Amino acid sequence: MTSHKNYLKEQMKDPDFQKGYMYEKKMAEIAVKIQEARQKQGLTQKELARKAQVTQQQLSNIENGSNFTIKTFLKIREALHINITL
Protein backbone atom coordinates (compact mmCIF):
# COMPACT_ATOMS: atom_id res chain seq x y z
CA MET A 1 0.00 0.00 0.00
CA THR A 2 1.33 3.42 -0.98
CA SER A 3 1.39 6.24 1.52
CA HIS A 4 -0.28 9.52 0.65
CA LYS A 5 3.09 11.25 0.48
CA ASN A 6 4.43 8.73 -2.02
CA TYR A 7 1.20 8.82 -4.02
CA LEU A 8 1.34 12.62 -4.23
CA LYS A 9 4.99 12.52 -5.24
CA GLU A 10 4.14 10.15 -8.08
CA GLN A 11 1.14 12.22 -9.21
CA MET A 12 3.20 15.43 -9.21
CA LYS A 13 5.22 14.00 -12.09
CA ASP A 14 2.20 14.66 -14.30
CA PRO A 15 2.36 18.33 -15.40
CA ASP A 16 -1.43 18.64 -15.62
CA PHE A 17 -1.91 17.22 -12.14
CA GLN A 18 0.85 19.44 -10.76
CA LYS A 19 -0.72 22.54 -12.30
CA GLY A 20 -4.14 21.72 -10.86
CA TYR A 21 -2.69 20.84 -7.47
CA MET A 22 -0.75 24.08 -7.21
CA TYR A 23 -3.82 26.08 -8.25
CA GLU A 24 -5.98 24.46 -5.59
CA LYS A 25 -3.24 24.87 -2.98
CA LYS A 26 -3.03 28.61 -3.68
CA MET A 27 -6.83 28.96 -3.52
CA ALA A 28 -6.84 27.23 -0.12
CA GLU A 29 -4.03 29.48 1.16
CA ILE A 30 -5.96 32.59 0.11
CA ALA A 31 -9.14 31.27 1.74
CA VAL A 32 -7.33 30.65 5.02
CA LYS A 33 -5.66 34.08 5.00
CA ILE A 34 -8.95 35.87 4.41
CA GLN A 35 -10.75 33.89 7.09
CA GLU A 36 -7.94 34.39 9.61
CA ALA A 37 -7.77 38.13 8.93
CA ARG A 38 -11.55 38.46 9.27
CA GLN A 39 -11.60 36.57 12.56
CA LYS A 40 -8.58 38.46 13.90
CA GLN A 41 -10.44 41.71 13.24
CA GLY A 42 -13.48 40.35 15.04
CA LEU A 43 -15.74 40.52 11.99
CA THR A 44 -18.50 38.13 11.03
CA GLN A 45 -18.87 37.11 7.41
CA LYS A 46 -21.94 39.31 7.19
CA GLU A 47 -20.08 42.35 8.56
CA LEU A 48 -17.11 41.89 6.23
CA ALA A 49 -19.37 41.27 3.26
CA ARG A 50 -21.19 44.52 3.94
CA LYS A 51 -17.89 46.37 4.39
CA ALA A 52 -16.50 44.92 1.14
CA GLN A 53 -19.77 45.42 -0.75
CA VAL A 54 -20.09 41.76 -1.67
CA THR A 55 -22.69 39.22 -0.65
CA GLN A 56 -22.19 37.03 2.39
CA GLN A 57 -22.52 34.05 0.03
CA GLN A 58 -19.61 35.33 -2.11
CA LEU A 59 -17.45 35.70 1.00
CA SER A 60 -18.45 32.27 2.27
CA ASN A 61 -17.57 30.72 -1.08
CA ILE A 62 -14.13 32.36 -1.03
CA GLU A 63 -13.48 31.21 2.54
CA ASN A 64 -14.42 27.69 1.44
CA GLY A 65 -11.89 27.78 -1.39
CA SER A 66 -14.27 28.32 -4.30
CA ASN A 67 -13.32 30.30 -7.38
CA PHE A 68 -13.68 34.05 -7.18
CA THR A 69 -13.24 37.04 -9.41
CA ILE A 70 -10.31 39.39 -9.03
CA LYS A 71 -12.78 42.21 -8.44
CA THR A 72 -14.35 40.40 -5.49
CA PHE A 73 -10.95 39.41 -4.12
CA LEU A 74 -9.71 43.00 -4.26
CA LYS A 75 -12.84 44.32 -2.51
CA ILE A 76 -12.37 41.88 0.35
CA ARG A 77 -8.64 42.50 0.58
CA GLU A 78 -9.20 46.26 0.72
CA ALA A 79 -11.96 45.94 3.31
CA LEU A 80 -9.64 43.90 5.52
CA HIS A 81 -6.66 46.22 4.87
CA ILE A 82 -4.40 43.24 4.19
CA ASN A 83 -1.90 42.35 1.51
CA ILE A 84 -2.46 38.98 -0.14
CA THR A 85 -0.77 38.21 -3.42
CA LEU A 86 -2.15 35.88 -6.04
Side-chain angles (χ1 to χ4, degrees):
M1 182 146 184
T2 305
S3 71
H4 175 71
K5 192 175 187 177
N6 288 337
Y7 176 78
L8 183 59
K9 184 178 177 181
E10 188 63 31
Q11 293 299 310
M12 291 296 273
K13 292 177 183 177
D14 178 350
D16 290 334
F17 178 88
Q18 185 178 25
K19 183 179 177 181
Y21 178 85
M22 296 309 289
Y23 173 83
E24 292 298 328
K25 182 179 178 188
K26 186 64 173 177
M27 293 293 286
E29 289 169 356
I30 290 169
V32 168
K33 287 180 182 180
I34 288 172
Q35 186 176 42
E36 286 176 345
R38 176 181 61 76
Q39 291 174 339
K40 185 177 180 181
Q41 293 180 29
L43 297 169
T44 65
Q45 282 187 345
K46 187 175 182 177
E47 291 167 333
L48 176 56
R50 189 176 328 118
K51 193 174 177 182
Q53 298 180 343
V54 300
T55 67
Q56 186 272 331
Q57 185 64 40
Q58 286 174 301
L59 178 58
S60 176
N61 287 341
I62 290 171
E63 287 189 0
N64 286 312
S66 295
N67 286 335
F68 53 84
T69 65
I70 297 296
K71 184 177 179 179
T72 302
F73 169 74
L74 291 174
K75 285 180 176 183
I76 293 168
R77 190 186 72 152
E78 289 174 22
L80 287 169
H81 305 290
I82 58 173
N83 186 21
I84 299 175
T85 56
L86 296 177

Short mmCIF file of all heavy atoms in Angstrom, two decimals, residues 37-71:
data_model
loop_
_atom_site.label_atom_id
_atom_site.label_comp_id
_atom_site.label_asym_id
_atom_site.label_seq_id
_atom_site.Cartn_x
_atom_site.Cartn_y
_atom_site.Cartn_z
N ALA A 37 -7.78 36.68 8.79
CA ALA A 37 -7.77 38.13 8.93
C ALA A 37 -9.13 38.63 9.41
O ALA A 37 -9.22 39.51 10.28
CB ALA A 37 -7.39 38.80 7.61
N ARG A 38 -10.19 38.07 8.86
CA ARG A 38 -11.55 38.46 9.27
C ARG A 38 -11.77 38.16 10.74
O ARG A 38 -12.23 39.01 11.51
CB ARG A 38 -12.59 37.72 8.42
CG ARG A 38 -14.02 38.01 8.86
CD ARG A 38 -15.04 37.25 8.04
NE ARG A 38 -14.94 35.81 8.11
CZ ARG A 38 -15.35 35.06 9.15
NH1 ARG A 38 -15.87 35.63 10.22
NH2 ARG A 38 -15.23 33.74 9.11
N GLN A 39 -11.41 36.97 11.16
CA GLN A 39 -11.60 36.57 12.56
C GLN A 39 -10.72 37.39 13.49
O GLN A 39 -11.15 37.77 14.58
CB GLN A 39 -11.34 35.08 12.72
CG GLN A 39 -12.40 34.24 12.05
CD GLN A 39 -12.09 32.76 12.06
OE1 GLN A 39 -10.94 32.34 12.21
NE2 GLN A 39 -13.12 31.93 11.87
N LYS A 40 -9.49 37.66 13.08
CA LYS A 40 -8.58 38.46 13.90
C LYS A 40 -9.14 39.86 14.13
O LYS A 40 -8.96 40.45 15.20
CB LYS A 40 -7.21 38.55 13.22
CG LYS A 40 -6.15 39.24 14.05
CD LYS A 40 -4.81 39.22 13.35
CE LYS A 40 -3.76 39.92 14.18
NZ LYS A 40 -2.45 39.93 13.52
N GLN A 41 -9.85 40.38 13.13
CA GLN A 41 -10.44 41.71 13.24
C GLN A 41 -11.81 41.68 13.92
O GLN A 41 -12.46 42.71 14.08
CB GLN A 41 -10.54 42.36 11.85
CG GLN A 41 -9.18 42.67 11.26
CD GLN A 41 -9.26 43.29 9.89
OE1 GLN A 41 -10.23 43.99 9.57
NE2 GLN A 41 -8.24 43.06 9.07
N GLY A 42 -12.23 40.49 14.31
CA GLY A 42 -13.48 40.35 15.04
C GLY A 42 -14.73 40.58 14.19
O GLY A 42 -15.76 41.00 14.71
N LEU A 43 -14.62 40.30 12.90
CA LEU A 43 -15.74 40.52 11.99
C LEU A 43 -16.44 39.21 11.67
O LEU A 43 -15.80 38.17 11.52
CB LEU A 43 -15.24 41.13 10.67
CG LEU A 43 -14.59 42.50 10.75
CD1 LEU A 43 -13.92 42.84 9.43
CD2 LEU A 43 -15.62 43.56 11.12
N THR A 44 -17.75 39.27 11.54
CA THR A 44 -18.50 38.13 11.03
C THR A 44 -18.44 38.18 9.51
O THR A 44 -18.04 39.20 8.93
CB THR A 44 -19.98 38.19 11.46
OG1 THR A 44 -20.59 39.33 10.84
CG2 THR A 44 -20.13 38.26 12.97
N GLN A 45 -18.83 37.10 8.88
CA GLN A 45 -18.87 37.11 7.41
C GLN A 45 -19.83 38.19 6.92
O GLN A 45 -19.53 38.89 5.96
CB GLN A 45 -19.32 35.75 6.87
CG GLN A 45 -18.25 34.71 6.87
CD GLN A 45 -18.70 33.44 6.17
OE1 GLN A 45 -19.89 33.22 5.92
NE2 GLN A 45 -17.74 32.58 5.86
N LYS A 46 -20.95 38.31 7.59
CA LYS A 46 -21.94 39.31 7.19
C LYS A 46 -21.38 40.72 7.29
O LYS A 46 -21.57 41.54 6.39
CB LYS A 46 -23.20 39.17 8.05
CG LYS A 46 -24.35 40.03 7.61
CD LYS A 46 -25.59 39.75 8.44
CE LYS A 46 -26.75 40.59 7.96
NZ LYS A 46 -27.97 40.29 8.71
N GLU A 47 -20.66 41.01 8.37
CA GLU A 47 -20.08 42.35 8.56
C GLU A 47 -19.02 42.65 7.50
O GLU A 47 -19.00 43.73 6.93
CB GLU A 47 -19.46 42.46 9.95
CG GLU A 47 -20.48 42.48 11.06
CD GLU A 47 -19.87 42.29 12.44
OE1 GLU A 47 -18.79 41.66 12.56
OE2 GLU A 47 -20.49 42.77 13.41
N LEU A 48 -18.14 41.67 7.24
CA LEU A 48 -17.11 41.89 6.23
C LEU A 48 -17.72 42.01 4.85
O LEU A 48 -17.30 42.86 4.06
CB LEU A 48 -16.07 40.77 6.25
CG LEU A 48 -14.98 40.86 5.17
CD1 LEU A 48 -14.25 42.21 5.23
CD2 LEU A 48 -14.01 39.70 5.29
N ALA A 49 -18.71 41.20 4.57
CA ALA A 49 -19.37 41.27 3.26
C ALA A 49 -19.96 42.67 3.04
O ALA A 49 -19.79 43.25 1.96
CB ALA A 49 -20.46 40.21 3.16
N ARG A 50 -20.61 43.19 4.05
CA ARG A 50 -21.19 44.52 3.94
C ARG A 50 -20.09 45.56 3.72
O ARG A 50 -20.19 46.43 2.86
CB ARG A 50 -21.98 44.86 5.20
CG ARG A 50 -22.79 46.13 5.08
CD ARG A 50 -23.66 46.44 6.29
NE ARG A 50 -24.18 45.27 6.98
CZ ARG A 50 -23.90 44.97 8.26
NH1 ARG A 50 -23.15 45.75 8.98
NH2 ARG A 50 -24.41 43.89 8.82
N LYS A 51 -19.02 45.44 4.50
CA LYS A 51 -17.89 46.37 4.39
C LYS A 51 -17.23 46.32 3.01
O LYS A 51 -16.81 47.33 2.47
CB LYS A 51 -16.88 46.01 5.48
CG LYS A 51 -15.81 47.02 5.73
CD LYS A 51 -14.97 46.59 6.95
CE LYS A 51 -13.85 47.54 7.17
NZ LYS A 51 -13.00 47.16 8.30
N ALA A 52 -17.15 45.12 2.44
CA ALA A 52 -16.50 44.92 1.14
C ALA A 52 -17.47 45.10 -0.04
O ALA A 52 -17.06 45.04 -1.19
CB ALA A 52 -15.89 43.53 1.07
N GLN A 53 -18.73 45.28 0.27
CA GLN A 53 -19.77 45.42 -0.75
C GLN A 53 -19.86 44.19 -1.66
O GLN A 53 -19.91 44.29 -2.89
CB GLN A 53 -19.58 46.71 -1.56
CG GLN A 53 -19.67 47.95 -0.71
CD GLN A 53 -19.49 49.23 -1.49
OE1 GLN A 53 -18.98 49.21 -2.61
NE2 GLN A 53 -19.89 50.33 -0.91
N VAL A 54 -19.85 43.03 -1.00
CA VAL A 54 -20.09 41.76 -1.67
C VAL A 54 -21.16 41.04 -0.87
O VAL A 54 -21.50 41.45 0.23
CB VAL A 54 -18.81 40.88 -1.78
CG1 VAL A 54 -17.72 41.60 -2.56
CG2 VAL A 54 -18.29 40.48 -0.40
N THR A 55 -21.70 39.97 -1.41
CA THR A 55 -22.69 39.22 -0.65
C THR A 55 -21.99 38.31 0.36
O THR A 55 -20.82 37.93 0.18
CB THR A 55 -23.58 38.36 -1.57
OG1 THR A 55 -22.78 37.33 -2.16
CG2 THR A 55 -24.24 39.21 -2.66
N GLN A 56 -22.73 37.95 1.39
CA GLN A 56 -22.19 37.03 2.39
C GLN A 56 -21.91 35.68 1.73
O GLN A 56 -20.93 35.02 2.06
CB GLN A 56 -23.18 36.89 3.55
CG GLN A 56 -22.66 36.07 4.72
CD GLN A 56 -22.93 34.59 4.59
OE1 GLN A 56 -23.91 34.17 3.97
NE2 GLN A 56 -22.05 33.80 5.14
N GLN A 57 -22.72 35.31 0.76
CA GLN A 57 -22.52 34.05 0.03
C GLN A 57 -21.20 34.07 -0.75
O GLN A 57 -20.47 33.08 -0.76
CB GLN A 57 -23.69 33.77 -0.91
CG GLN A 57 -23.59 32.42 -1.59
CD GLN A 57 -23.69 31.27 -0.61
OE1 GLN A 57 -24.47 31.30 0.32
NE2 GLN A 57 -22.87 30.25 -0.81
N GLN A 58 -20.88 35.21 -1.39
CA GLN A 58 -19.61 35.33 -2.11
C GLN A 58 -18.43 35.15 -1.14
O GLN A 58 -17.47 34.44 -1.44
CB GLN A 58 -19.49 36.68 -2.80
CG GLN A 58 -20.35 36.83 -4.03
CD GLN A 58 -20.29 38.24 -4.57
OE1 GLN A 58 -20.64 39.20 -3.89
NE2 GLN A 58 -19.86 38.37 -5.82
N LEU A 59 -18.52 35.80 0.01
CA LEU A 59 -17.45 35.70 1.00
C LEU A 59 -17.34 34.28 1.52
O LEU A 59 -16.23 33.73 1.63
CB LEU A 59 -17.70 36.68 2.15
CG LEU A 59 -16.68 36.65 3.28
CD1 LEU A 59 -15.27 36.93 2.75
CD2 LEU A 59 -17.05 37.64 4.35
N SER A 60 -18.46 33.65 1.80
CA SER A 60 -18.45 32.27 2.27
C SER A 60 -17.81 31.35 1.24
O SER A 60 -16.99 30.49 1.59
CB SER A 60 -19.88 31.81 2.56
OG SER A 60 -19.90 30.45 2.93
N ASN A 61 -18.16 31.54 -0.02
CA ASN A 61 -17.57 30.72 -1.08
C ASN A 61 -16.06 30.89 -1.13
O ASN A 61 -15.32 29.91 -1.28
CB ASN A 61 -18.18 31.07 -2.44
CG ASN A 61 -19.59 30.57 -2.59
OD1 ASN A 61 -20.03 29.68 -1.87
ND2 ASN A 61 -20.32 31.15 -3.52
N ILE A 62 -15.58 32.11 -1.01
CA ILE A 62 -14.13 32.36 -1.03
C ILE A 62 -13.46 31.68 0.16
O ILE A 62 -12.44 31.02 0.02
CB ILE A 62 -13.83 33.87 -1.06
CG1 ILE A 62 -14.22 34.44 -2.41
CG2 ILE A 62 -12.36 34.13 -0.76
CD1 ILE A 62 -14.17 35.95 -2.49
N GLU A 63 -14.06 31.82 1.34
CA GLU A 63 -13.48 31.21 2.54
C GLU A 63 -13.51 29.69 2.48
O GLU A 63 -12.76 29.03 3.18
CB GLU A 63 -14.18 31.71 3.80
CG GLU A 63 -13.83 33.14 4.14
CD GLU A 63 -14.35 33.59 5.49
OE1 GLU A 63 -15.01 32.79 6.20
OE2 GLU A 63 -14.10 34.75 5.85
N ASN A 64 -14.37 29.15 1.63
CA ASN A 64 -14.42 27.69 1.44
C ASN A 64 -13.58 27.24 0.25
O ASN A 64 -13.62 26.07 -0.12
CB ASN A 64 -15.87 27.24 1.27
CG ASN A 64 -16.62 27.27 2.58
OD1 ASN A 64 -16.13 26.79 3.59
ND2 ASN A 64 -17.80 27.86 2.58
N GLY A 65 -12.83 28.15 -0.33
CA GLY A 65 -11.89 27.78 -1.39
C GLY A 65 -12.47 27.75 -2.79
O GLY A 65 -11.83 27.24 -3.70
N SER A 66 -13.67 28.30 -2.97
CA SER A 66 -14.27 28.32 -4.30
C SER A 66 -13.63 29.40 -5.16
O SER A 66 -12.99 30.32 -4.65
CB SER A 66 -15.77 28.59 -4.21
OG SER A 66 -16.41 27.52 -3.55
N ASN A 67 -13.83 29.28 -6.45
CA ASN A 67 -13.32 30.30 -7.38
C ASN A 67 -13.93 31.65 -7.06
O ASN A 67 -15.03 31.74 -6.54
CB ASN A 67 -13.65 29.92 -8.82
CG ASN A 67 -12.79 28.80 -9.32
OD1 ASN A 67 -11.69 28.57 -8.85
ND2 ASN A 67 -13.29 28.07 -10.29
N PHE A 68 -13.21 32.70 -7.40
CA PHE A 68 -13.68 34.05 -7.18
C PHE A 68 -13.12 34.95 -8.26
O PHE A 68 -12.14 34.61 -8.91
CB PHE A 68 -13.27 34.57 -5.80
CG PHE A 68 -11.79 34.43 -5.53
CD1 PHE A 68 -10.89 35.38 -5.96
CD2 PHE A 68 -11.31 33.33 -4.84
CE1 PHE A 68 -9.53 35.26 -5.72
CE2 PHE A 68 -9.95 33.19 -4.58
CZ PHE A 68 -9.07 34.16 -5.02
N THR A 69 -13.76 36.09 -8.44
CA THR A 69 -13.24 37.04 -9.41
C THR A 69 -12.18 37.92 -8.74
O THR A 69 -12.18 38.08 -7.51
CB THR A 69 -14.36 37.95 -9.96
OG1 THR A 69 -14.85 38.77 -8.89
CG2 THR A 69 -15.48 37.15 -10.59
N ILE A 70 -11.32 38.47 -9.54
CA ILE A 70 -10.31 39.39 -9.03
C ILE A 70 -10.98 40.59 -8.37
O ILE A 70 -10.56 41.05 -7.32
CB ILE A 70 -9.35 39.85 -10.16
CG1 ILE A 70 -8.58 38.65 -10.72
CG2 ILE A 70 -8.40 40.92 -9.68
CD1 ILE A 70 -7.65 37.97 -9.75
N LYS A 71 -12.05 41.05 -8.98
CA LYS A 71 -12.78 42.21 -8.44
C LYS A 71 -13.27 41.93 -7.02
O LYS A 71 -13.09 42.75 -6.12
CB LYS A 71 -13.96 42.55 -9.36
CG LYS A 71 -14.72 43.77 -8.96
CD LYS A 71 -15.82 44.07 -9.97
CE LYS A 71 -16.61 45.30 -9.57
NZ LYS A 71 -17.66 45.61 -10.56
#
